[in-house]
Amino acid sequence: MEERERWVLWVPVFLGAGIALYFAMPGEPPPWSGLLFTLGVFGLYLLAGDRLPLRLTLGALLALGMGFTAVEARTTWLRTPILQRPLGPVPVEGRVANVERLDKGVRVTLADPRIPRQAPDLTPPAVRIRLRPTDAAPPAGTRVRILAALRPPPDSPEPGAYDFRRSAFYQGIGAVGFAFKTPEVVAPAPVGWIGWVNDRVVALRELIASRVAERLTGAPAMIAIALLNGEQTGIPPDDLQAMRVSGLQHILSISGLHISLVAALFYFFARAALALWEGVALRHPIKKYAAAFAILATLAYMMLVGAQVPTLRSVLMTALAMVAILADRSVLSPRAIAVAGILCLLYQPEQLPGPSFQMSFGAVLALISAYEVLREPMNRWRKEGGWPRRALLFVGGLCLTSIISTIATMPFCLYHFQQVANYGVLANLIGIPITELWIMPLCLLAYVAMPFHLEGWIIDMIGWGCEGILWTARVTAALPGAALHGAALSDLAFGLMVGGGLWLMLWRRRWRLIGLAPIALGCVLAPLTPRPDMVVSGGGTMVAVRDGGGKLWLSSSRGGGFEVETWGKRDGGEGRPPAWPTVGTDDGSLRCDSLGCLYHPDLYRPGPARSGGARRPVGGHRLDPRRPGGGLRQRRPGDLPRAGGRLRRPPRHRP
């Protein structure tokens, strides 16, 4: 009862628990199960009367059921057909719904495609095709024909890793591919008003990108485009990795840093302009007019850069703050993020398992919780000093914000990316002021100047700021020990850390410190996460095995690409594991000859010698180099080893 006002903060937590339960299920549940459970719990809640513990328990179950029902309903509603097998080259015809600039070339999304030899009910609602580097993007809204090879969206590289196919399913994309020829424009495609608005927004993004490309080149151009229209796909991989290692990648994601600055600038400019009009300033609430104008400005900015999870969360929280001004009330920040979380989860429940949702809400919740405790001491310390103390407080605030964000997002970084930026505080001390005080105000000025073709010098100045961010990222990433690498966390360790962190941040009384116990237990379990002895690619073209010392070895030094890099990173390394020697590993757990390899993780580890010095194998895997990628066959219990690790069947005993 002492923290009754904090109960509402747990509603999005149990909503998320229901969504997580849905994605953790081994198979698709009946489409009516979530709704039936939710209605049943709601009926019991109405009958609970004044029994508070029972009502709280049923309320938590009701929120959990609503989350499960929301994601189940969205999955049932979409039912995106996924291409079952590779096709092509085939002429694919569809309407250009989105255009994305890449490091090399352009990628387009075609809506309402027509694919030869594909039944209409099995045709995906959208396909994504990468054009040739020399081809220009067709205008948004036109219907084009592209000779392309299509395949199903890529699956998860490893169980527990990011699931690209699931993400594509919820985006309505059932196939991906690449083009063989230049797209042929068939005709403008008739669409409804929603499609017309989407086409105009995509065309505006392309216009902004082309204006930037006229003045800037390379990575600074791509960073400027990311901040102006929300496209992050064109940043070169090396520079993107430097941004990750340095802890500056959040600058590329349009979130609270950008949205709050846009809202603040439009709010103060609108209020200052109205204050100059004496008749309006004396007779009308110009503060409320400015708040309404700031809401419209942030919504327009979100439409331009895209409604990604961090952007949507920031817009919702900013809008709530402005609505509080309109209603002459103060907004409670924890409740604001709770409302934003509820709306995001109900609108796009499939975003919960992704790193963007988790890191965005985790960082903001940690900052709000920390500054709730520190607000009064910091305000008192500021009032008692002059400008030197305020300047020191500004720098200290940047450091503290970066430290809190880094600690709060560390479990998510290790779980999804297996690395943590060690020098994030140092990099953000330079990167955040450049973004807040230089780049973002110039971006808003560029929007105003573009209709008059006066944006050239402004884009040049934005490029200077982007070069400063890139320089900071590269220098920081090159420092010794710039990133902490670790193996992927288990679901149990990750859940304990997140659950303990929520308990610590959502309560205010001393019992919140109980949350430190599951956090500590999660940290203890983190290095104990078991890793597989063998990993096989989906197509069977690559195999990785673990030797007796715990090191991962690949069957080939070439091929695999992103998939095998993911194996290495999730195993605690920095990238692709090495290829195993042609004779196998030194400890004998993998033995190879010209015919194949025999692998068993515990087979030839050092131990007591037996009749010849080698342990007799009791099972294992046969790796055949004559098959693609090394091939794989489960060893049968009756198989016995011969010299060099080859297998033979024991002779049959005839009567």
Side-chain angles (χ1 to χ4, degrees):
M1 295 295 293
E2 296 183 14
E3 295 202 66
R4 192 179 189 122
E5 74 281 357
R6 314 287 293 192
W7 293 352
V8 68
L9 305 183
W10 288 93
V11 174
V13 175
F14 285 101
L15 275 174
I19 297 170
L21 176 63
Y22 173 86
F23 285 118
M25 299 189 72
E28 187 68 23
W32 43 262
S33 57
L35 181 60
L36 184 63
F37 175 83
T38 304
L39 292 177
V41 173
F42 181 67
L44 294 175
Y45 182 84
L46 295 178
L47 298 175
D50 296 331
R51 289 168 287 187
L52 185 60
L54 180 60
R55 288 175 65 89
L56 288 177
T57 302
L58 291 173
L61 291 176
L62 181 61
L64 187 145
M66 290 177 63
F68 190 96
T69 304
V71 66
E72 189 178 45
R74 181 157 172 79
T75 304
T76 305
W77 173 265
L78 287 174
R79 288 197 177 278
T80 303
I82 301 295
L83 197 67
Q84 297 300 309
R85 58 184 178 84
L87 293 177
V90 292
V92 183
E93 184 178 320
R95 180 177 62 86
V96 180
N98 194 25
V99 178
E100 299 170 281
R101 290 173 179 258
L102 304 176
D103 180 29
K104 296 179 181 178
V106 178
R107 186 171 64 189
V108 297
T109 301
L110 301 184
D112 304 321
R114 294 178 185 173
I115 305 174
R117 303 189 301 274
Q118 193 76 3
D121 58 331
L122 298 179
T123 301
V127 298
R128 191 160 55 197
I129 299 175
R130 179 167 183 162
L131 305 183
R132 299 181 304 172
T134 56
D135 292 336
T142 56
R143 195 163 187 87
V144 299
R145 184 182 296 112
I146 305 176
L147 184 65
L150 299 179
R151 58 183 175 85
D155 206 349
S156 175
E158 180 183 316
Y162 183 77
D163 196 334
F164 296 94
R165 186 168 297 180
R166 181 176 64 195
S167 176
F169 172 89
Y170 285 105
Q171 295 178 54
I173 298 173
V176 297
F178 57 91
F180 287 95
K181 292 184 178 180
T182 303
E184 175 187 353
V185 177
V186 178
V191 294
W193 68 271
I194 295 180
W196 182 87
V197 171
N198 176 77
D199 293 342
R200 301 287 77 76
V201 171
V202 173
L204 182 57
R205 290 175 185 167
E206 272 299 290
L207 176 63
I208 292 173
S210 62
R211 295 282 184 90
V212 173
E214 291 174 0
R215 308 286 302 197
L216 303 176
T217 58
M222 296 304 173
I223 293 178
I225 290 173
L227 296 175
L228 284 166
N229 70 359
E231 290 183 13
Q232 303 180 33
T233 52
I235 300 174
D238 292 342
D239 292 316
L240 190 59
Q241 178 64 13
M243 298 285 285
R244 290 196 188 103
V245 173
S246 64
L248 290 176
Q249 190 183 10
H250 68 95
I251 290 177
L252 304 176
S253 177
I254 307 299
S255 57
L257 175 67
H258 312 80
I259 298 296
S260 59
L261 188 58
V262 169
L265 290 174
F266 275 98
Y267 174 80
F268 288 115
F269 283 150
R271 189 173 181 183
L274 292 173
L276 297 176
W277 194 348
E278 184 178 355
V280 174
L282 295 176
R283 296 179 177 86
H284 297 273
I286 60 174
K287 182 172 70 171
K288 296 183 179 182
Y289 291 170
F293 185 70
I295 292 176
L296 295 176
T298 53
L299 290 175
Y301 185 59
M302 182 180 68
M303 286 186 62
L304 179 62
V305 300
Q308 303 299 324
V309 171
T311 310
L312 184 60
R313 185 262 309 160
S314 303
V315 169
L316 288 172
M317 293 189 64
T318 302
L320 287 172
M322 295 300 167
V323 168
I325 294 176
L326 293 174
D328 294 320
R329 294 192 177 190
S330 59
V331 61
L332 183 62
S333 294
R335 291 194 177 187
I337 193 173
V339 172
I342 292 171
L343 294 178
C344 287
L345 289 173
L346 294 178
Y347 173 60
Q348 290 182 328
E350 70 276 7
Q351 296 289 346
L352 175 73
S356 180
F357 181 95
Q358 296 174 8
M359 296 181 70
S360 174
F361 277 91
V364 173
L365 180 59
L367 290 171
I368 290 174
S369 178
Y371 281 109
E372 269 190 326
V373 177
L374 299 174
R375 183 182 297 116
E376 291 186 7
M378 292 178 68
N379 287 339
R380 185 167 55 252
W381 198 73
R382 177 187 297 173
K383 292 178 181 178
E384 294 174 355
W387 68 265
R389 181 175 289 187
R390 294 186 179 183
L392 183 61
L393 192 61
F394 174 77
V395 176
L398 286 178
C399 295
L400 183 61
T401 298
S402 184
I403 292 172
I404 294 171
S405 300
T406 300
I407 295 175
T409 57
M410 187 178 296
F412 307 110
C413 291
L414 290 174
Y415 185 75
H416 293 285
F417 307 115
Q418 294 77 57
Q419 70 177 21
V420 176
N422 289 330
Y423 302 126
V425 175
L426 174 63
N428 281 284
L429 277 176
I430 303 173
I432 289 180
I434 291 176
T435 305
E436 283 189 344
L437 304 178
W438 184 264
I439 296 178
M440 287 306 299
L442 288 172
C443 286
L444 298 181
L445 187 59
Y447 291 143
V448 178
M450 279 185 182
F452 308 102
H453 295 272
L454 301 175
E455 75 285 349
W457 63 275
I458 303 174
I459 292 177
D460 291 340
M461 297 177 70
I462 293 174
W464 301 341
C466 294
E467 288 176 356
I469 291 177
L470 271 175
W471 177 85
T472 304
R474 291 166 179 167
V475 171
T476 306
L479 294 176
L484 171 67
H485 297 275
L489 298 179
S490 65
D491 292 340
L492 177 59
F494 179 66
L496 287 170
M497 292 180 186
V498 173
L502 289 171
W503 186 273
L504 181 66
M505 293 184 290
L506 293 183
W507 297 125
R508 287 274 67 87
R509 302 287 180 178
R510 285 190 177 275
W511 56 64
R512 73 181 187 272
L513 299 178
I514 297 175
L516 294 175
I519 293 176
L521 182 58
C523 293
V524 171
L525 294 177
L528 304 179
T529 301
R531 297 294 301 154
D533 290 326
M534 177 180 292
V535 189
V536 185
S537 63
T541 58
M542 295 293 293
V543 178
V545 297
R546 190 179 308 280
D547 64 14
K551 186 176 181 180
L552 205 63
W553 297 87
L554 282 179
S555 59
S556 175
S557 60
R558 292 181 290 181
F562 175 77
E563 192 171 23
V564 299
E565 287 185 7
T566 301
W567 296 352
K569 290 180 179 178
R570 289 181 61 82
D571 204 56
E574 298 185 19
R576 184 186 184 95
W580 68 54
T582 55
V583 296
T585 56
D586 294 336
D587 64 350
S589 58
L590 178 70
R591 290 191 170 185
C592 301
D593 62 10
S594 60
L595 296 180
C597 298
L598 178 65
Y599 171 71
H600 192 291
D602 301 313
L603 188 56
Y604 295 106
R605 289 183 183 173
R610 298 184 186 175
S611 62
R615 299 182 184 179
R616 171 164 293 194
V618 294
H621 297 280
R622 173 70 168 174
L623 307 177
D624 187 355
R626 293 170 296 182
R627 297 180 60 188
L632 179 65
R633 177 173 73 81
Q634 176 68 39
R635 184 179 175 192
R636 293 173 289 185
D639 289 350
L640 297 176
R642 289 171 56 189
R646 294 186 296 274
L647 300 178
R648 64 176 176 87
R649 294 291 296 167
R652 294 184 178 182
H653 298 282
R654 297 182 180 179

